[in-house]
Amino acid sequence: MNPTRRWLPRSLFARLLLVMLSGVGVAQIMTSLIWAGQLDSDSRNRVSENAQYLAITLAATIRYFQALPDNVRPIVIDQQREVGGSRLFMSVNQHRLASESTFTAPLKDAFLAAIDDQLSADLGQGGVHLALALPQEVRVYDQQVPIADIPIRWIRQSLILEPEPAPILTVQVPMPSGDWLYLATLLPDPYILDKNRVLTRERWWSLGVTLMAVGVLGLWFVRWQTRPLRRLADAADSFGRGVAHEPLIESGMRELDATAEAFSAMELRIQRYLDDRERLFAAISHDLRTPITRLRLQTEMIDDEALRLSLEEDLEELDLMVKGALQTVRDADIHEDPKPLELGTLINKIASEKQLGGHRVIVQQKQPVDVMGKPLALKRCLTNLIDNAVFYGDQAVVSLAIEHGQAVVRIRDSGPGLGTTDPVQLFKPYTRLAHGQARNAGGMGLGLGIAQSIVHGHGGELSLRDHPQGGLEVTVQLPCDYTVRMHHH
């Protein structure tokens, strides 16, 4: 498998659903980011406008107080207090008050910098001290009096303390006399600095609800669209095992319907080929029997004994080859219906038959191993493999187990093993090991090929290897999860 694709799910259903949900999620996040950029730009523009407006008001007030005589400023401030104050809370202090603030906002620094620039331009002087703080942190007068201790009528037009305290801007400007003019006011929009929040809790809830709705609809839609593919896969699996299946129905999608039609046509052609092959071998069996018998009779009439023996040997070899070819076709294509069976029972029966014949067969099984298969075909397959073990390897040790959802049968003998022989070559007809030819000259090397065809017909695998402790080990793997599928069909 490509390492870059290991993280992808294996099923088409999961991949389509993943793509749909990922697309919606990415679209939502990109939309939120675009909206966030636009909102941030608008917020900064509004902050800049508010800062400019407030700075102009502050600059006008500061110039007015700077123009007043020193002894008049306290009188003007007292008059404003008596009439209920103004948008600015004002006082004249002897010292600049220290300011401590825990108030934070994304645009706080930009707001203060804009006011500072505008004031510096309007006043033509520096040294102005600006701060944004919450009401409980603001102090006034040289005595550092909390705002909460000031009569409410002095500040009701300039500051908001309840119900939701808003940040207060404090401005301290040095006067030519050495005093400090102290100004405190609310922002034109007290909560403008908080308006650039984008991915709020409500936004995340909206994204979650959207993904959930798309996920439910996508789950239904993708399952509906992939159902014809599952039916096609089941049909191909059933046909490969010789099991009848329901006809494929139209799905309404051109591509899938075209695939189903092509599969049905292929299935029909293969079935015709199998039927023609069976008829052909039946005809060959019938047609060859007569000339071989006639040649045997004619051979007996030959006086030359050496020639007669040579011809009889050739005819015997020809007869064996014809019988072997026909046996291969019959054993690999047994017409029977699959049934539930327990492999241990089947193998113990085979072992008992071999033990009666004087062969050593040991069966090791810890748990039942149930499969769905053709009993006669599997018996013939396992018999061939066990026969090979006892004939060419002196004994057969058969173990059964379920591994990773598959029935696994291992047959080990005590023979010399494969040696340098390629295991793939042994599955070809008429291919035999050297020690097998020495022990049984009459064998034709068809058993392994027949066994492999039967195992493949059940959706399994057959493999050979030299066992680490000596001898040849044959492994048969049969799927256990086809039981439900075959019952369904």
Side-chain angles (χ1 to χ4, degrees), residues 35-51:
W35 182 48
Q38 184 63 42
L39 185 59
D40 183 71
S41 177
D42 292 344
S43 297
R44 290 183 180 276
N45 290 335
R46 286 197 301 272
V47 165
S48 178
E49 292 172 359
N50 276 264

Side-chain angles (χ1 to χ4, degrees), residues 207-462:
L207 177 60
V209 169
T210 302
L211 289 177
M212 186 178 299
V214 172
V216 172
L217 291 176
L219 182 68
W220 169 79
F221 177 77
V222 173
R223 186 181 296 275
W224 174 41
Q225 295 297 309
T226 55
R227 188 178 295 119
L229 289 175
R230 290 195 299 271
R231 287 199 295 263
L232 181 61
D234 289 344
D237 179 74
S238 299
F239 177 67
R241 286 163 180 74
V243 182
H245 63 84
E246 298 177 359
L248 295 173
I249 59 177
E250 292 187 359
S251 64
M253 289 178 284
R254 287 197 304 269
E255 294 82 359
L256 288 178
D257 289 343
T259 303
E261 290 176 4
F263 172 79
S264 298
M266 177 196 69
E267 183 181 17
L268 181 61
R269 288 194 297 270
I270 292 177
Q271 191 59 54
R272 286 175 177 171
Y273 163 76
L274 293 176
D275 294 340
D276 291 343
R277 186 190 67 165
E278 187 174 350
R279 285 192 294 269
L280 173 64
F281 274 95
I284 292 175
S285 175
H286 179 271
D287 293 344
L288 288 180
R289 188 177 297 113
T290 300
I292 290 177
T293 302
R294 186 168 58 249
L295 286 173
R296 286 183 185 276
L297 294 174
Q298 293 177 354
T299 301
E300 293 178 358
M301 299 172 60
I302 296 177
D303 294 332
D304 188 338
E305 184 175 356
L307 177 60
R308 185 178 72 251
L309 292 176
S310 176
L311 290 175
E312 286 179 351
E313 184 177 347
D314 290 342
L315 287 173
E316 186 66 27
E317 184 177 353
L318 177 62
D319 190 30
L320 287 174
M321 291 178 64
V322 172
K323 288 180 180 178
L326 293 174
Q327 188 69 19
T328 300
V329 175
R330 293 194 189 101
D331 287 349
D333 189 23
I334 298 175
H335 295 285
E336 59 177 327
D337 295 329
K339 299 177 181 178
L341 57 93
E342 203 278 310
L343 285 180
T345 303
L346 179 62
I347 291 177
N348 278 308
K349 184 177 180 181
I350 298 173
S352 298
E353 295 174 357
K354 301 304 172 186
Q355 289 164 356
L356 289 175
H359 299 292
R360 179 177 173 80
V361 180
I362 302 171
V363 181
Q364 300 172 344
Q365 182 180 10
K366 294 182 179 180
Q367 64 183 120
V369 180
D370 298 312
V371 298
M372 177 69 73
K374 300 178 180 180
L376 184 58
L378 285 178
K379 182 180 180 181
R380 191 162 295 171
C381 164
L382 296 170
T383 300
N384 284 347
L385 298 176
I386 293 175
D387 281 346
N388 285 344
V390 296
F391 288 158
Y392 308 121
D394 298 327
Q395 69 170 359
V397 179
V398 186
S399 62
L400 291 88
I402 296 178
E403 300 175 4
H404 307 294
Q406 289 198 325
V408 179
V409 181
R410 291 186 173 88
I411 303 172
R412 179 190 168 195
D413 61 34
S414 301
L418 293 170
T420 58
T421 305
D422 183 1
V424 178
Q425 299 297 322
L426 291 179
F427 293 112
K428 296 180 179 180
Y430 311 111
T431 303
R432 305 179 65 199
L433 293 172
H435 73 277
Q437 295 176 358
R439 286 203 170 195
N440 182 10
M444 293 179 289
L446 299 174
L448 279 178
I450 294 172
Q452 185 187 52
S453 297
I454 293 174
V455 171
H456 285 175
H458 285 76
E461 291 295 333
L462 178 63

Side-chain angles (χ1 to χ4, degrees), residues 34 41 66 76 90 111 154 191 215 220 316 366 392 417 465:
I34 294 173
S41 177
Q66 285 177 337
V76 174
M90 295 172 286
F111 177 74
W154 290 4
Y191 308 108
W220 169 79
E316 186 66 27
K366 294 182 179 180
Y392 308 121
R465 70 158 187 158

